[in-house]
Amino acid sequence: MSAEAALATWLGDYRGNRIDLPGADDPRLAERRERAIALVESAGLPHRRLEEWKYSDLLHRLASEYEPATPWAGALVREGALADPFADIACNTLIFANGFFRADASSPPEGLTVTTLAESGVPDGALPALDAQLARADDAIGNLNLALARDGVFITVPAGFKAERPLHIVYLDPAASGARRARTVRSQIRLEEGAELTLIETYLGKGGAEDVTNAALDITLSERAVLSHVRVLSDGESATQIHSLNAALEKGARYAPTILNLGAGYCRTTMRLEMQGAGAHAEVTALAALGGREHNDLTTILRHAVPGTTAMQTVKSVLAGKSRGIYQGRVVVMPGANGTDSTQLAKSVLLSREAEADTKPELEILADDVKCAHGATIGALDPAALFYLRARGIPKAEALAMLVEAFLGDALGAIADEPLREAAAAALRARLAALEVTL
Amino acid sequence: MGAALVLEIENLHVTVDGREILKGLTLAVNAGEVHAIMGPNGSGKSTLSYALAGRDGYAVTEGSMRLAGKDLIALTPEERATMGLFLAMQYPVEIPGVVTMTFLRTALNALKRARGEKEIDAAGFLKEVRAAAKTLNVSEEMLKRALNVGFSGGEKKRLEALQMAVLKPRLAILDETDSGLDIDALKLVAEGVNALRAPDRAFIVITHYQRLLDYIVPDKVHILAGGRIVREGGPELAKDLEARGYDAIVREAA
């Protein structure tokens, strides 16, 4: 299928189904969807000639017929390629099945406002983030998501509210069928002044078919709001997962996302962080443990817009088989944004000769007084460390597993909540045990 | 050959990166003995310790080494450890993300498993480690930290001694354990080693200086130069060396 035909397929989904999309009778949303699809049509689908997509050929993944996913009312099992690692953690849980919210299986937390796109459309407070999306005219994936979103959840944490339990959103893939399906979900989380929340997201795909998930999450953190965010993703080897994570941080807000990719055929996460208020701090940790022909691309765009904002990005990949791990980290320091401190650290360990890691830092510094450090290493495990462990009697396979786990596990320290960290570590261990060292 | 022979090295030739470093080294160590191997820089001291422990890249091209009568050459490092060989390293490796305590227990249980013994439970292990840690002045806090990460030179060497105390080897090789240690740390490590001296255990203490041997008194001293043992004697040889220097002693031997 040509690029034009691929684009026509997706535009056709919109044009053929727009009257059935949620909010079709709400001009606030319908008009924005129209603008979004017009932007997609003029930008075209992402292709490798675009610098931002040079490592991750998405066009191939989008270039075939699909069916829009439909709601699933059947039984739910909280597992996919992986069992839900957080099943035993006391959480308020929101369940999505096949890309649609399942109210009957969910337990929304008290004190938070939770509505869904399919059920209640878009609340007024969610419109600014949609307009911010429309302002990114080149972001075809984000705009396609806005145009086609079938469901999603809008969450508001009121000022000063400190959620006791984590909020866990689980995305399940229960409707195994031969057909290739597309799921489009767009959600928002807004934390008002001084609010605090731990958000967990678990994507548990089976990916028997060549399903495409296009998920966007818009995050708005008002002054002094604190969001800890753990995302674990696991899907089948033919699945395509495309994620947009857009966060805006006001004065003194803190955002700490930890993303674990524990296997998916193709996963692209585009993370945009807008540091808009002095003292805002972002702590990004992204880990991937891949094998087979799996492909993970993390592209971050971090904009320091005002003086005195800080960010730390730690990206680590363990790559076995013929897998590929990509990190493109762009840091933009706007004119006058003095006192910016933005660090990027990317490390990859290759467990086979055919695995590949690509790291591309991009710094665009338009202010004088800034600290922007970046470091990258790609290599095999430290032979001296391996010898040290073996010399103490630890068999080679076990020693290698220890080192791989240590390499990634070290970064899990970013998850402050201990039971949560342990659960994430256990999921990581299980995944690593399944990867083969062929060096 | 008595039953008490722990280590027997004959005419050992070892090549590193295509260069022959050990050129026919012969050495015999009996159970219960402490042997010191002294030598100038570049004489092959560390090569000997790595070759014994089985590190990749240390190729034995000729000769033999036997631990308790068993040929070591074809064995992996972990198999040698299982047989009771322990190398206290000159430069202990920092391993971020591996908690020291977890590492110690994994190592001890790996040895026990390989020997067909029952694994030690958490409580029993803790008790054993705490006792040894106290003697060596290794704090609980150190044991909770990542292995060797951010440890001072002295802390690293004390931790090596602690590992030795927990793993209870049949033959312990101390590779320049004195390097980077101040006198207090040196005494502490030496006391740790002396406490482990036993009729069924042997030590090889590799050092450049005589100082360590004031605290760990050897039964025999060997001078290593140019990849061979060039002189052997009792503790007085180390003192003689200290007084007259390597040049004089090695020249005499030649």
Side-chain angles (χ1 to χ4, degrees):
Chain A
M1 194 186 269
S2 68
E4 292 74 23
L7 179 61
T9 304
W10 291 86
L11 297 178
D13 179 7
Y14 176 76
R15 300 220 160 101
N17 295 310
R18 69 182 136 189
I19 54 164
D20 297 323
L21 290 172
D25 50 1
D26 174 358
R28 294 175 314 150
L29 181 56
E31 180 266 335
R32 284 178 171 87
R33 288 197 197 263
E34 282 293 322
R35 279 162 57 200
I37 205 73
L39 290 172
V40 175
E41 191 166 12
S42 71
L45 295 174
H47 52 77
R48 292 190 63 184
R49 293 186 308 281
L50 297 171
E51 181 66 22
E52 208 189 293
W53 291 92
K54 67 186 256 188
Y55 295 109
S56 298
D57 185 1
L58 185 60
L59 196 55
H60 264 87
R61 293 263 165 182
L62 298 180
S64 50
E65 297 294 334
Y66 67 87
E67 291 172 10
T70 49
W72 167 261
L76 296 173
V77 184
R78 270 167 76 168
E79 63 177 35
L82 180 89
D84 180 0
F86 307 111
D88 294 333
I89 306 254
C91 295
N92 289 106
T93 307
L94 305 178
I95 305 257
F96 278 77
N98 210 21
F100 291 87
F101 184 64
R102 275 283 294 263
D104 62 319
S106 299
S107 59
E110 282 179 29
L112 274 61
T113 312
V114 179
T115 64
T116 64
L117 176 64
E119 182 70 27
S120 343
V122 183
D124 281 333
L127 294 175
L130 299 188
D131 291 336
Q133 174 62 63
L134 292 168
R136 293 189 289 270
D138 295 338
D139 174 20
I141 287 305
N143 286 315
L144 188 64
N145 175 285
L146 170 48
L148 286 176
R150 256 77 175 186
D151 206 351
V153 64
F154 298 98
I155 298 162
T156 307
V157 188
F161 187 88
K162 293 178 173 46
E164 268 176 39
R165 288 176 160 196
L167 177 64
H168 188 186
I169 308 180
V170 187
Y171 304 86
L172 298 172
D173 175 16
S177 75
R180 173 178 153 92
R181 294 160 302 170
R183 300 185 196 91
T184 310
V185 179
R186 187 167 198 112
S187 296
Q188 271 194 40
I189 294 208
R190 280 176 290 138
L191 270 64
E192 294 179 346
E193 265 185 43
E196 290 181 17
L197 177 71
T198 296
L199 170 69
I200 310 171
E201 287 184 289
T202 315
Y203 284 85
L204 300 172
K206 279 196 285 282
E210 296 175 342
D211 293 354
V212 177
T213 299
N214 180 348
L217 178 61
D218 295 313
I219 294 169
T220 311
L221 303 180
S222 302
E223 284 190 20
R224 289 173 288 103
V226 179
L227 179 64
S228 303
H229 183 185
V230 177
R231 173 182 283 183
V232 171
L233 187 141
S234 164
D235 206 339
E237 56 189 16
S238 49
T240 299
Q241 293 270 352
I242 319 163
H243 292 267
S244 306
L245 200 52
N246 311 308
L249 282 72
E250 297 300 337
K251 207 165 132 186
R254 302 177 79 84
Y255 177 44
T258 301
I259 301 178
L260 271 80
N261 181 343
L262 301 183
Y266 177 106
C267 180
R268 157 73 175 232
T269 301
T270 309
M271 187 188 289
R272 295 180 189 81
L273 300 184
E274 299 283 335
M275 313 299 283
Q276 297 173 343
H281 177 68
E283 190 104 19
V284 177
T285 307
L287 309 179
L290 308 178
R293 293 181 171 275
E294 289 171 339
H295 182 109
N296 184 52
D297 176 335
L298 173 71
T299 296
T300 64
I301 302 152
L302 222 150
R303 229 161 55 96
H304 297 272
V306 298
T309 64
T310 53
M312 169 81 206
Q313 302 182 61
T314 307
V315 179
K316 288 186 167 186
S317 305
V318 169
L319 304 168
K322 294 182 176 178
S323 66
R324 203 163 169 205
I326 289 132
Y327 169 56
Q328 307 187 94
R330 186 157 160 228
V331 173
V332 183
V333 182
M334 300 298 284
N338 291 321
T340 291
D341 188 341
S342 201
T343 303
Q344 292 169 286
L345 186 68
K347 290 186 174 183
S348 303
V349 164
L350 307 180
L351 299 183
S352 94
R353 283 179 212 288
E354 291 173 297
E356 184 178 329
D358 301 280
T359 300
K360 187 180 76 183
E362 279 179 277
L363 303 179
E364 197 178 321
I365 300 174
L366 309 170
D368 296 327
D369 174 25
V370 299
K371 242 172 84 183
C372 285
H374 64 87
T377 61
I378 298 170
L381 291 167
D382 179 9
L386 183 62
F387 170 67
Y388 190 83
L389 296 179
R390 294 178 73 190
R392 296 298 176 255
I394 301 171
K396 185 178 178 186
E398 196 179 342
L400 281 169
M402 271 176 95
L403 292 175
V404 169
E405 191 188 323
F407 169 72
L408 291 180
D410 198 29
L412 284 182
I415 304 176
D417 182 283
E418 198 183 334
L420 207 54
R421 185 172 63 242
E422 288 303 317
L428 189 59
R429 264 197 299 279
R431 170 64 180 172
L432 291 174
L435 296 181
E436 210 184 334
V437 182
T438 53
L439 275 181
Chain B
M1 240 189 289
L5 199 57
V6 172
L7 180 71
E8 200 184 3
I9 301 175
E10 273 174 33
N11 188 33
L12 188 70
H13 291 250
V14 174
T15 301
V16 183
D17 286 334
R19 235 181 85 219
E20 187 169 68
I21 307 291
L22 296 185
K23 301 169 181 172
L25 184 144
T26 296
L27 179 72
V29 178
N30 288 315
E33 290 179 351
V34 174
H35 288 233
I37 296 183
M38 304 183 69
N41 290 328
S43 58
K45 300 193 298 289
S46 284
T47 299
L48 173 63
S49 65
Y50 286 140
L52 281 168
R55 186 167 191 164
D56 277 348
Y58 291 76
V60 175
T61 52
E62 204 185 327
S64 66
M65 26 186 209
R66 281 188 290 275
L67 185 67
K70 198 171 172 201
D71 188 1
L72 286 179
I73 292 173
L75 301 185
T76 63
E78 55 268 36
E79 287 167 336
R80 299 180 197 205
T82 302
M83 289 183 61
L85 188 136
F86 180 92
L87 170 61
M89 305 217 188
Q90 184 179 0
Y91 304 107
V93 184
E94 298 193 1
I95 309 186
V98 172
V99 175
T100 302
M101 196 66 142
T102 311
F103 155 74
L104 270 173
R105 192 167 165 215
T106 306
L108 180 59
N109 279 332
L111 289 179
K112 287 186 177 290
R113 220 167 35 238
R115 291 170 186 158
E117 296 166 16
K118 202 169 153 267
E119 293 190 20
I120 193 163
D121 62 39
F125 172 73
L126 212 59
K127 204 174 144 192
E128 199 170 323
V129 171
R130 281 198 178 129
K134 201 172 166 204
T135 321
L136 289 162
N137 196 19
V138 171
S139 66
E140 287 271 324
E141 191 265 332
M142 267 173 77
L143 294 171
K144 284 180 188 158
R145 270 153 59 185
L147 184 55
N148 289 319
V149 176
F151 287 22
S152 70
E155 285 175 332
K156 284 179 183 166
K157 297 299 172 73
R158 266 148 51 203
L159 189 67
E160 293 291 294
L162 175 65
Q163 292 173 42
M164 184 163 64
V166 171
L167 302 179
K168 297 188 181 63
R170 186 202 309 254
L171 172 67
I173 304 158
L174 281 68
D175 188 3
E176 305 215 16
T177 292
D178 48 344
S179 70
L181 285 192
D182 62 29
I183 193 72
D184 291 338
L186 186 75
K187 280 185 187 166
L188 208 61
V189 170
E191 278 169 26
V193 170
N194 288 329
L196 287 174
R197 288 180 80 152
D200 59 351
R201 183 170 294 138
F203 293 85
I204 295 176
V205 180
I206 295 176
T207 181
H208 187 89
Y209 302 103
Q210 191 263 336
R211 191 178 66 156
L212 178 63
L213 305 180
D214 286 341
Y215 302 99
I216 305 175
V217 180
D219 299 295
K220 286 186 183 147
V221 174
H222 311 262
I223 310 290
L224 178 61
R228 279 188 206 93
I229 303 290
V230 295
R231 262 194 82 174
E232 291 177 314
E236 72 290 344
L237 178 57
K239 297 227 159 46
D240 190 23
L241 188 69
E242 186 77 357
R244 295 201 288 140
Y246 278 109
D247 276 357
I249 302 274
V250 171
R251 210 175 305 121
E252 262 175 39

